Amino acid sequence: LGLIGGSIGLGLRGPKRKILGFDPNAGHVAIAIERGCADAESTLRQIAEECEVIFVAVPPRACIDVLERIAEFRNSSVAVTDCTSVKSEINRWAVQQRAEWFIPGHPMAGHERNGPQFASAWLFRNATWL
């Protein structure tokens, strides 16, 4: 629920969407919910079981751990993508795990500040997402 995850939540906000969020930083959670980046704090298990699409917006070194936790609980129809810029280890993991539900991603957007207080619904407007 930092800059990238919070901005995704704000950008996807809509009347028929429920946006769940997870962040181990309680301060980020409070700010993100207050700003509308997520409707509610959730666990990774609940997110993996209930959501249709999951965006993993964590530092590259944490991505595989989060993907493995999601894999434990995910429903069979969920699509999962990440937002990291470094892909070699993550892609290798996905191939080894035969994780056909995982779609590597890299949004070409951001700025020098981080945290949900800097999230913006417009961050990805006209941005390329690889």
Side-chain angles (χ1 to χ4, degrees), residues 27-95:
H28 278 188
V29 172
I31 294 167
I33 290 174
E34 179 183 314
R35 295 202 58 232
C37 301
D39 294 314
E41 178 182 16
S42 188
T43 64
L44 281 180
R45 181 179 190 147
Q46 182 183 9
I47 289 169
E49 291 175 347
E50 295 181 16
C51 292
E52 295 175 14
V53 179
I54 300 172
F55 292 88
V56 178
V58 299
R61 68 186 177 282
C63 193
I64 292 173
D65 290 337
V66 172
L67 290 171
E68 287 177 342
R69 291 174 63 193
I70 290 169
E72 284 182 61
F73 306 114
R74 72 176 189 84
N75 70 58
S76 61
S77 64
V78 69
V80 180
T81 189
D82 73 315
C83 303
T84 63
S85 58
V86 180
K87 290 284 179 248
S88 59
E89 286 185 44
I90 296 166
N91 288 344
R92 195 170 20 260
W93 174 87
V95 169

